[in-house]
Amino acid sequence: MKNILLKLLALFMVLSFTTASANEAHVTEGTAKSSTHKEETYKTKPFMEMIGGFLESTGVSALINPSPDELSATGEKMSDFHKSGGRIIMILVTFFLFWLAIKKGFEPLLLLPIAFGGLLANIPIAGIAGPHGFLGVIYQMGLSNELFPIIIFMGVGAMTDFGPLLSNPKTALLGGAAQFGIFGTLVGAVILSQMGFVDFTLQQASAISIIGGADGPTSIFIATKLSPELLGAIAVASYSYMAMVPIIQPPIMKALTTEKERKMKMSTLRHVSRLEKLIFPIMVLTLAILVLPESTPLIGAFMFGNFLKESGVVERLNDTLQNALINITTIFLGLGVGSKLAADQFLVPETMFIMVLGIIAFSVGTAAGVLMAKFMNLFPGHKINPLIGSAGVSAVPMAARVSNKVGMEYDRTNMLLMHAMGPNVAGVIGSAVAAGVLISLFS
Amino acid sequence: METNLVLEGFKFMGLGMGTVFLFLIVMIFSMNIMSWAIHKFFPEPQANAAPTASAAPQEDNKKIIAAITAAIKYHREG
């Protein structure tokens, strides 16, 4: 009896267990069904099809057979060339820029970030330069609103010494004459589009001509304001020609001067008191406020950096402006400009004209500075060695070094460096003023 | 319309170069006035401060020179 009871109990247990498990199985089946209803996007595929789908998403396939609905960083349609061959060409161009920066030492601090940004911007599918890619975000963060060039200007201000200019004020005129490079090129650009070679608007022509100011941050500032679509080409032209100043300038300087003029010695610079250096930035800013408020973003930032330096009481801030801040901003500025080296924006006929106009702008600026110095020597007063006229193009301190080097080729004892720094820093002020004029004309 | 563009370019050039030179010429005048005023009203105290400041170090220098010569003498003899 006891035995039968036990057997019955066991049977019951087994039965209940099986039904329970069957129920459970039923429930899991149900949830499995509902989950397939929810996640319809993922479908099981045969393995070969998966491989095929993956291969379609590779860079090789995207470069050879670009997808027709891929959009450019600005959200426009691109031609097939700009999606395939153009990208490969641009990647090779960035390799060439690497070579210029590393092997030839062409402004590596900016050219390397620009070139690497260009490399990243030309990667298919990833859309790094697009509105949600990190280059696009950097561009939005500080370039489209012209913030980074301004911060760079603060750092440049903190590095600038106005002493040589203060001790020989009239050399500032050389820095003004060199701005002829800007406006001469502006006329050149509109004549080119008049003749039908290329179609530049007045805004674009102005943005290109600012390359003649030989001032990287100013060029970027104006280009983003007046014609952001040309920013990549303008920045690359500006920085690579600035690096080529020692090659471009000497032949022009020698062609326009006689040997006697090149050997001319200049009287030693007088001592400049600290108070003069302290008041100078405020004075220039006041003039800018009165004459041309449009130029005050650039001049204000420049003089802010210089004022911190000359005040002598904020050594920490001065140090940050000259080193940490300008370095960080240079990285972001370079990458942001590089994002504009995408094939669809760079591989256009305009780029070639920008390169040609850029070198003309540099040459005209150099020549105008030298001729201005010769013109000033016609008047009584201290004579000026025409070689320092070429330093009127901003490119601090490269242009001043070139003046010094050419001078020493003819007379080893003729030290022109400090004399050339005067027109050099005046050139920075001059191109900021010229930039202000261009902005005010279009506002 | 077409011819206007080049004319515009020249207008820009005139206005731009004019402004740049005007700005720099005013800047040169202000610089000259400023340095004249500073030299006249706030001359650097360098000229007055120099003799008093350099008197003490000179004596110090003499002591140092004496010490060095003594040391050299000692070194050579020893």
Side-chain angles (χ1 to χ4, degrees):
Chain A
M1 187 63 197
K2 201 180 173 185
N3 218 350
I4 295 166
L5 253 173
L6 259 176
K7 273 183 186 170
L8 264 173
L9 196 71
L11 192 75
F12 180 74
M13 274 175 71
V14 168
L15 263 174
S16 64
F17 188 76
T18 44
T19 46
S21 64
N23 268 347
E24 229 172 296
H26 189 75
V27 169
T28 50
E29 222 175 320
T31 52
K33 264 182 195 164
S34 65
S35 76
T36 49
H37 276 294
K38 275 177 193 164
E39 295 172 19
E40 267 179 322
T41 43
Y42 185 79
K43 287 174 200 152
T44 48
K45 275 182 279 185
F47 190 55
M48 289 313 285
E49 237 178 79
M50 278 174 80
I51 293 178
F54 175 74
L55 285 181
E56 266 175 35
S57 72
T58 57
V60 177
S61 134
L63 285 174
I64 295 170
N65 187 21
S67 104
D69 41 54
E70 193 185 347
L71 295 176
S72 75
T74 47
E76 287 158 18
K77 280 210 172 295
M78 289 188 280
S79 70
D80 275 350
F81 168 72
H82 283 146
K83 282 187 220 165
S84 53
R87 281 182 166 150
I88 297 169
I89 293 173
M90 278 315 293
I91 288 174
L92 294 176
V93 167
T94 61
F95 289 171
F96 174 69
L97 293 177
F98 289 157
W99 178 77
L100 281 183
I102 298 168
K103 187 80 182 168
K104 293 278 166 186
F106 276 20
E107 297 279 331
L109 286 177
L110 252 149
L111 217 48
L112 264 189
I114 289 179
F116 213 100
L119 176 59
L120 295 174
N122 281 293
I123 296 172
I125 298 173
I128 297 176
H132 301 295
F134 78 89
L135 286 187
V137 171
I138 289 175
Y139 183 82
Q140 288 297 326
M141 182 170 79
L143 271 157
S144 61
N145 53 16
E146 302 120 25
L147 177 67
F148 290 157
I150 293 287
I151 297 177
I152 298 271
F153 238 63
M154 291 180 196
V156 175
M159 290 185 200
T160 302
D161 178 13
F162 283 111
L165 180 65
L166 281 161
S167 70
N168 195 0
K170 69 175 180 179
T171 54
L173 287 179
L174 302 173
Q179 308 314 318
F180 191 71
I182 295 179
F183 295 101
T185 311
L186 174 60
V187 171
V190 288
I191 287 176
L192 266 185
S193 53
Q194 182 77 37
M195 285 160 74
F197 288 114
V198 66
D199 193 24
F200 287 133
T201 63
L202 216 48
Q203 270 97 331
Q204 287 173 326
S206 309
I208 296 162
S209 66
I210 204 82
I211 298 174
D215 197 316
T218 312
S219 308
I220 293 172
F221 184 81
I222 293 292
T224 40
K225 232 181 166 72
L226 297 181
S227 61
E229 67 280 4
L230 298 179
L231 175 63
I234 288 173
V236 167
S238 182
Y239 279 104
S240 41
Y241 290 143
M242 263 166 75
M244 280 162 63
V245 156
I247 305 165
I248 301 171
Q249 286 196 326
I252 301 166
M253 291 156 75
K254 287 176 190 170
L256 291 173
T257 49
T258 63
E259 187 151 349
K260 191 169 153 244
E261 284 171 327
R262 277 173 245 151
K263 284 185 176 169
M264 192 186 286
K265 290 210 174 166
M266 292 178 68
S267 49
T268 45
L269 295 170
R270 73 169 173 86
H271 173 74
V272 178
S273 74
R274 191 175 152 233
L275 194 58
E276 275 179 90
K277 286 187 179 179
L278 188 61
I279 292 176
F280 181 76
I282 302 295
M283 188 195 87
V284 175
L285 185 57
T286 312
L287 288 180
I289 294 168
L290 296 176
V291 177
L292 193 65
E294 292 280 3
S295 69
T296 46
L298 287 168
I299 291 185
F302 190 63
M303 294 310 169
F304 166 66
N306 191 254
F307 191 65
L308 287 194
K309 176 192 171 218
E310 299 299 351
S311 73
V313 290
V314 282
E315 202 38 55
R316 284 163 47 184
L317 303 188
N318 176 29
D319 177 62
T320 302
L321 275 187
Q322 286 193 27
N323 299 295
L325 187 64
I326 202 169
N327 288 346
I328 292 169
T329 315
T330 301
I331 293 172
F332 285 144
L333 183 79
L335 287 175
V337 169
S339 75
K340 291 283 156 186
L341 291 191
D344 59 299
Q345 293 179 59
F346 197 81
L347 285 183
V348 288
E350 283 88 348
T351 301
M352 197 182 75
F353 288 101
I354 290 171
M355 293 288 164
V356 174
L357 285 168
I359 199 159
I360 293 173
F362 260 65
S363 314
V364 171
T366 306
V370 174
L371 292 176
M372 184 71 190
K374 293 180 74 155
F375 176 71
M376 283 166 72
N377 279 344
L378 297 177
F379 295 92
H382 288 297
K383 297 296 174 208
I384 296 168
N385 187 322
L387 289 181
I388 71 165
S390 68
V393 302
S394 320
V396 181
M398 188 91 81
R401 286 204 199 118
V402 170
S403 297
N404 189 49
K405 191 168 154 268
V406 176
M408 279 174 72
E409 268 176 38
Y410 293 90
D411 183 353
R412 291 217 52 88
T413 58
N414 201 1
M415 303 292 280
L416 291 173
L417 185 64
M418 287 322 276
H419 295 284
M421 283 310 286
N424 213 181
V425 294
V428 179
I429 298 174
S431 45
V433 172
V437 173
L438 290 177
I439 293 169
S440 72
L441 284 171
F442 289 111
S443 61
Chain B
M1 190 63 207
E2 283 287 304
T3 41
N4 275 353
L5 210 55
V6 176
L7 192 69
E8 285 302 302
F10 277 106
K11 278 193 218 160
F12 275 38
M13 183 155 91
L15 185 67
M17 288 309 287
T19 315
V20 170
F21 271 111
L22 176 80
F23 187 89
L24 291 176
I25 288 169
V26 174
M27 190 177 91
I28 292 169
F29 273 113
S30 337
M31 265 152 82
N32 284 329
I33 294 168
M34 179 185 79
S35 46
W36 172 81
I38 286 176
H39 280 273
K40 177 134 189 178
F41 299 112
F42 307 97
E44 284 212 314
Q46 253 183 0
N48 308 334
T52 49
S54 59
Q58 261 182 358
E59 264 175 41
D60 274 359
N61 281 350
K62 275 180 192 163
K63 280 183 189 165
I64 291 166
I65 290 165
I68 291 171
T69 39
I72 291 170
K73 207 176 172 187
Y74 178 79
H75 179 75
R76 283 197 183 140
E77 281 168 7

